[in-house]
Amino acid sequence: MSTKTIMLVCAAGMSTSMLVTKMQKAAEADGIETDIFAVSANEADSYLESKPVDVLMLGPQVKFLKKQMETKVEGKGIPVEVIDMRDYGMMNGKKVLDKALELSN
């Protein structure tokens, strides 16, 4: 299985970086190769242009950006999804990872 690149987008990147760590641990435990990283909404464009991304997930606090992000990745085959608020609040890295992998298949 090839490495799955998952980009999380949030307001500033602080709480989402904690979620990234939990997702990475879950992936490691499942033997899944991933490149998971978090960026602020302001940085998202430059990352989308410079790095191949398999899945783009938005933190609940920036869910209003969903349409805008879908437009930016149109034609690239990158699914865009808002992270479930409960999973985000509980920092449930396993559930968020599972959702991202489901979207990428």
Side-chain angles (χ1 to χ4, degrees):
M1 182 194 241
S2 62
T3 301
K4 292 290 180 190
T5 303
I6 303 166
M7 182 167 98
L8 306 186
V9 178
C10 67
M14 291 309 296
S15 55
T16 307
S17 63
M18 291 189 329
L19 184 59
V20 165
T21 303
K22 302 229 179 201
M23 289 173 72
Q24 289 167 333
K25 285 183 180 162
E28 210 173 283
D30 289 347
I32 301 166
E33 282 188 46
T34 57
D35 176 10
I36 306 169
F37 62 99
V39 299
S40 71
N42 296 339
E43 300 171 304
D45 287 353
S46 64
Y47 277 90
L48 285 170
E49 288 172 18
S50 66
K51 188 170 182 148
V53 172
D54 294 308
V55 180
L56 193 161
M57 298 191 81
L58 300 169
Q61 68 276 41
V62 293
K63 66 181 173 193
F64 63 90
L65 293 174
K66 187 170 190 230
K67 278 276 175 244
Q68 182 182 330
M69 289 298 172
E70 286 172 335
T71 301
K72 287 180 186 188
V73 300
E74 202 170 345
K76 293 183 179 182
I78 302 170
V80 178
E81 189 61 64
V82 176
I83 298 168
D84 181 271
M85 197 179 296
R86 287 177 301 275
D87 294 337
Y88 189 89
M90 300 290 287
M91 289 284 138
N92 190 333
K94 173 81 173 122
K95 279 189 87 173
V96 177
L97 173 68
D98 289 347
K99 182 64 179 177
L101 295 173
E102 177 189 313
L103 290 166
S104 74
N105 291 330

